[in-house]
Amino acid sequence: MNILVTNDDGIEAEGIRNLADALREVADIYVCAPHVQRSGSGHAITIERRVVAEEVDFPGAKKAIRLEGTPADCVKMGLRIYGDAGIVIDKVFSGVNHGSNMGTDTLYSGTVSAALEGSLCGLPSVAVSIDARKPRQYDTARALAVKAAKPDFSAIDERIVLNINVPDLPKDEIKGVKITGLGLREYDEWYEKIMEADGTVGYRYSGRPVFYEGLDIDETDVGAAQAGYATITPLHFDLTSYNLIDKLKRGGFAD
């Protein structure tokens, strides 16, 4: 089995190196990852400027490409570059992200979007994140990634992404694994005003996740994570609200 590994924290990040190292137990690893930090880039792709790809050394990988593009670029171009070299990729893994990707955060996440790009390309795909900006505990994330990579893990098909989020805790302190839906992820957020030496004004986004009281730990990833569980949420790129289609038709929107 050949696995394409990518991320949004950049090819030098500790998380992607942990993910590649774990997955090489069950597959040959081919890396294509951004040359710099690209967190929060969502599903953006580069359409007007040249994207530079450079082959580099990467521990545990058969081959690795450092790409001057977005996480979604890395999947689209990685599959093409390796495919042109006769390497057939079987699955796409994105992570391990430095920070969780739960609830509505998935709409902004470069990590999740890279996995969704894999599913758009027809491959089973997985996103893996740890709920810490500087993770220290990788064991559970590594173990869940390996489990998700095994061929008999039948929950994965070519149109589904498994979104895995893990607390930054020792394995024996994590309460378990919950299969959940997405929750609401809100932030106490602000833009820091920055005065430049030349007199121009800039802004830097920052924020802290809101802690919710009384969330059902069996319903949403946010609730389960707050209670100390790792979570797995199956995602699909289809954003259609099917329960509203007939209502809109009856409401006179359709001819």
Side-chain angles (χ1 to χ4, degrees):
M1 180 168 57
N2 297 323
I3 293 179
L4 178 68
V5 175
T6 190
N7 72 347
D8 72 359
D9 290 315
I11 197 168
E12 299 296 333
E14 184 179 356
I16 191 173
R17 292 175 183 253
N18 265 275
L19 182 59
D21 183 62
L23 291 174
R24 68 191 181 103
E25 298 177 14
V26 294
D28 287 336
I29 304 303
Y30 294 88
V31 172
C32 186
H35 72 302
V36 294
Q37 168 68 256
R38 296 303 301 261
S39 291
S41 56
H43 211 124
I45 58 172
T46 304
I47 57 175
E48 292 186 353
R49 65 174 180 81
R50 183 182 65 142
V51 177
V52 177
E54 179 185 7
E55 190 166 332
V56 295
D57 292 329
F58 192 98
K62 294 292 184 180
K63 288 182 178 294
I65 297 167
R66 180 170 57 206
L67 193 77
E68 293 185 9
T70 68
D73 284 334
C74 290
V75 175
K76 293 175 75 71
M77 296 186 66
L79 292 175
R80 176 63 61 87
I81 292 169
Y82 287 129
D84 288 347
I87 300 164
V88 178
I89 300 296
D90 299 295
K91 294 179 180 179
V92 174
F93 274 70
S94 182
V96 174
N97 192 63
H98 300 181
S100 63
N101 282 301
M102 297 182 290
T104 42
D105 275 352
T106 57
L107 298 173
Y108 302 96
S109 168
T111 299
V112 173
S113 293
L116 285 168
E117 183 61 37
S119 74
L120 285 170
C121 294
L123 296 176
S125 300
V126 179
V128 186
S129 304
I130 294 178
D131 191 14
R133 287 302 173 192
K134 295 182 179 180
R136 295 175 295 173
Q137 306 291 337
Y138 282 92
D139 288 351
T140 300
R142 289 169 63 107
L144 288 174
V146 169
K147 187 174 184 179
K150 292 181 178 178
D152 61 354
F153 200 81
S154 59
I156 306 177
D157 64 39
E158 67 275 8
R159 296 302 179 190
I160 296 297
V161 168
L162 292 188
N163 186 36
I164 299 172
N165 282 277
V166 181
D168 190 32
L169 296 171
K171 187 175 182 179
D172 60 359
E173 294 182 22
I174 295 175
K175 293 182 178 179
V177 180
K178 295 283 188 182
I179 311 299
T180 70
L182 293 177
L184 180 64
R185 188 70 156 167
E186 294 180 305
Y187 287 81
D188 175 14
E189 60 186 1
W190 61 87
Y191 284 88
E192 178 188 357
K193 188 175 183 179
I194 301 169
M195 295 296 299
E196 304 292 351
D198 63 0
T200 58
V201 179
Y203 295 87
R204 180 184 294 114
Y205 174 80
S206 189
R208 291 185 294 266
V210 174
F211 185 90
Y212 301 95
E213 299 289 347
L215 292 182
D216 188 333
I217 64 173
D218 294 313
E219 291 293 325
T220 70
D221 52 357
V222 176
Q226 285 186 174
Y229 290 87
T231 64
I232 302 177
T233 302
L235 302 180
H236 196 277
F237 55 77
D238 185 355
L239 301 179
T240 305
S241 179
Y242 287 98
N243 64 322
L244 289 180
I245 289 178
D246 287 339
K247 292 180 180 179
L248 289 172
K249 289 179 179 178
R250 292 195 299 269
F253 285 92
D255 294 331

